[in-house]
Amino acid sequence: MRKEVIGNAELYLGDCREILPTLSGIDAVVTDPPYGISHSSNYGASWARTQIANDGTTAARDAVVDWANDLPGVYFGTWKTPPVAKTRACVIWSKGPAFGMGDLSLPWKPSFELAYICGNGWSGRRGEGVLTGPVVVSWESKGRLHPHQKPEWLMAHFIERLPDAFCILDPFMGSGTTGVAAAQMKRKFVGIECDEKHFANACRRIEDAQRQGSLFGAAA
Ligand SMILES: C[S@@+](CC[C@H](N)C(=O)[O-])C[C@H]1O[C@@H](n2cnc3c(N)ncnc32)[C@H](O)[C@@H]1O
């Protein structure tokens, strides 16, 4: 286990199931866990034909859900595996027309993902349950860092619906997108990632986002 403190973010390299019992002061979970579908992409990136850690089952996700108990939480997922226990609502992220290979014998692309909403403490204006917005660039050569990288606006959408003082946890932070959104909104953030390369990318992105935030803050 390694810990980096970057501004108001605490970032841990290690297995979240070992680190979570040592944490205190977490108010909400905003995360994109392994879906439990043993996914490997065929396309020509450095991660082609590899899987992210713990994607064989939903056990890692479910351990976090158990730990979080009634904390407000959003957990991304897919219809291919059982939903998160105690789900109160499901929000759809519509990825737009160009996305998804899926079963090529069917006349629909899998161009959406699910976000399971749990716990108490959500607030804000009541809006649509289908979210759309710009997607992350597809190609690694054009700056994509993680095979399952999410857009920053998408994670920000959920953080915005939690109180400003809340400390946000992403126990499966990948390249750090939730932490970048939290930094842009000046929220306290705790992130955990077990893969050293993704952890290094997350630290760098979150530090950059905080630095840009203080530059803009100083100019205002
Ligand atoms: C779906 S990806 C998250 C991608 C992230 N949303 C982004 O935008 O980059 C899930 C991440 O969880 C990590 N992971 C899997 N099991 C873990 C565990 N037990 N503890 C910590 N990280 C884990 C994987 O290495 C992977 O990077």
Side-chain angles (χ1 to χ4, degrees):
M1 196 269 274
R2 201 171 96 216
K3 178 179 173 183
E4 299 281 344
V5 178
I6 302 176
N8 60 357
E10 280 181 18
L11 308 178
Y12 294 86
L13 172 65
D15 189 316
C16 63
R17 291 166 291 190
E18 289 162 19
I19 294 166
L20 288 178
T22 71
L23 298 181
S24 59
I26 303 296
D27 299 303
V29 180
V30 175
T31 194
D32 172 29
Y35 287 0
I37 53 174
S38 303
H39 176 78
S40 67
S41 153
N42 285 324
Y43 93 107
S46 60
W47 51 74
R49 287 173 291 282
T50 62
Q51 290 180 17
I52 57 166
N54 298 309
D55 197 29
T57 70
T58 58
R61 175 200 77 177
D62 295 339
V64 172
V65 172
D66 280 351
W67 172 88
N69 201 10
D70 286 334
L71 288 182
V74 56
Y75 302 83
F76 279 83
T78 167
W79 59 271
K80 295 177 188 170
T81 51
V84 168
K86 296 204 217 166
T87 294
R88 295 180 58 198
C90 192
V91 171
I92 309 276
W93 171 38
S94 168
K95 295 193 273 186
F99 276 78
M101 291 299 281
D103 183 339
L104 298 177
S105 69
L106 290 172
W108 302 277
K109 291 178 181 177
S111 57
F112 68 93
E113 292 185 36
L114 306 178
Y116 298 110
I117 310 292
C118 302
N120 302 305
W122 297 99
S123 62
R125 193 178 64 80
R126 197 166 154 81
E128 299 304 325
V130 177
L131 309 178
T132 55
V135 291
V136 172
V137 58
S138 325
W139 300 102
E140 190 179 18
S141 57
K142 295 202 171 136
R144 189 186 186 96
L145 290 168
H146 193 288
H148 304 288
Q149 194 168 332
K150 297 290 177 288
E152 291 158 17
W153 69 262
L154 182 61
M155 307 322 263
H157 171 92
F158 295 104
I159 296 173
E160 266 168 11
R161 283 154 181 79
L162 294 162
D164 289 351
F166 268 24
C167 178
I168 309 293
L169 168 73
D170 185 348
F172 303 103
M173 74 173 163
S175 63
T177 307
T178 311
V180 170
Q184 288 166 347
M185 300 164 78
K186 308 229 178 310
R187 303 295 191 95
K188 275 183 276 170
F189 177 74
V190 174
I192 310 174
E193 170 57 48
C194 67
D195 179 290
E196 205 150 343
K197 183 175 152 213
H198 297 323
F199 180 77
N201 284 332
C203 291
R204 199 188 62 249
R205 285 181 75 202
I206 292 166
E207 193 166 12
D208 285 351
Q210 289 193 0
R211 194 176 311 119
Q212 280 177 21
S214 30
L215 282 178
F216 290 134

